[in-house]
Amino acid sequence: MGSAPRTLGLRIAIVGTNFGIMIGLAWVLGLEAFGQLTFLWGGAMLAGTILSLGGPLILLRALTDGGGLRLWDIFGYCLIYPGLVAMALLGPLTWSFPDLPWEAVLIAGLGVNLLFCLASVMRALGSIQSSMALRDAGPQLSLGIGATFAAGFSGETTIVLAAIVMGLAGIAVTIWCSRQSNFTDVLTQTARPVWSPSLYGTGVLGMGLAQMDLIIGGAILSGEAFGLYALLRRVANLVALPVTVATWVSAAPISSANGRGDLAGLCKASAEGSKIAFYPGAALFVTGLMSLPLAGIIAPNGLEIAAMTVFAILLCGALGQVIYASSYTVSTLCGLAQYSVYARVLVIFVYVLAIQIIGENLTIVGNAVAYVVALTMGAISLWWAIQRRLGIDTSALVLIGRKAREWQAY
């Protein structure tokens, strides 16, 4: 756990870069155009995961388990298989939703998948922090560069230019990977049946959960109102920044303790993850609450109260992710991955159901409430399942009272 401060520093830099890009785009484009771009970009991010067939996770697992992959298979998951899926989907999507620029969305999705897959290859070659930077900052940085060159043009043009930037970055990373001395160590001449429906499903559900309120909300809400919502969501998500760090740092100790059958060690590793996430997250939450008036200041006339209400709701949702930070890590690494899938399905189901009930009367406040309620129900259901199966409390409640004294004594 000693690497947490260093990893947190890198994560802060990545999130700061992404955040600065989105704030800059909102400032330059205006809320309405920013909302339209966010809607298309959310679709591209989800498309990248759907087109991937689980490639990033499959490559990471196959290239690090000692078996390796054929160069053709690596290339296939990076470009060929997603490209074939995109061509197969273009016709049905265009026929079903003719008003959306599906060519641009799918092209950008291919670029996103390329960077995600190459990040997995880089990680397998030992470049852990650079791979995280490529995966988490590469697409957003490409969007910022694309928007710079597309000044005055549509969101469709912007994400196509972003895809071109991602393609150029992919060429550079491919050259770097091919020149590493251990590149041949992850290759094999033997075909391996490595495709995994569970890994694919987990990736799609995770990205769907991350983008669902932006995609569905963007299709229903007015441009300016949705632009405001998307901006406030980006800011509120900063509260959950420590969750990724906690997952990154605690994954190895959790997996190791589970492999040894060490329940006490597993409790301690999970609690340490909660500790890494909760205290910085709580501080960011309080800072966000103190900044509520700023949400009203940046809002267009007539949306000041709604903006502060939405921001407060989204802050509470981000705090909920912090409280249950260790749940997804423990379930994924301790043989309970199916419960992670169930929880994510529940989140999406509850959110979509709420949107259906609200219908055409949906506002940015209603969208925020539906999103946060769904997230919270999913987190609680996963926490309860883990507690029932393993007897481990993966919430931040382990940091106080008797439970804190118990795991600290291990």
Side-chain angles (χ1 to χ4, degrees), residues 221-247:
L221 297 168
S222 65
E224 190 174 50
F226 176 69
L228 176 64
Y229 176 88
L231 180 61
L232 294 175
R233 164 97 127 72
R234 296 286 181 182
V235 179
N237 274 356
L238 293 177
V239 173
L241 163 65
V243 173
T244 301
V245 178
T247 301

Side-chain angles (χ1 to χ4, degrees), residues 225 228-229 232-233 236 285 288-289 291-300 302-318 363-373:
L228 176 64
Y229 176 88
L232 294 175
R233 164 97 127 72
F285 175 73
L289 290 180
S291 305
L292 277 177
L294 294 177
I297 293 175
I298 67 171
L303 290 175
E304 294 87 352
I305 300 300
M308 289 189 287
T309 304
V310 166
F311 192 43
I313 294 170
L314 292 174
L315 286 173
C316 291
T363 64
I364 56 174
V365 174
N367 197 41
V369 170
Y371 178 64
V372 170
V373 168

Side-chain angles (χ1 to χ4, degrees), residues 116-117 164 203 264 301-302:
F116 283 8
C117 285
I164 294 174
N301 291 334

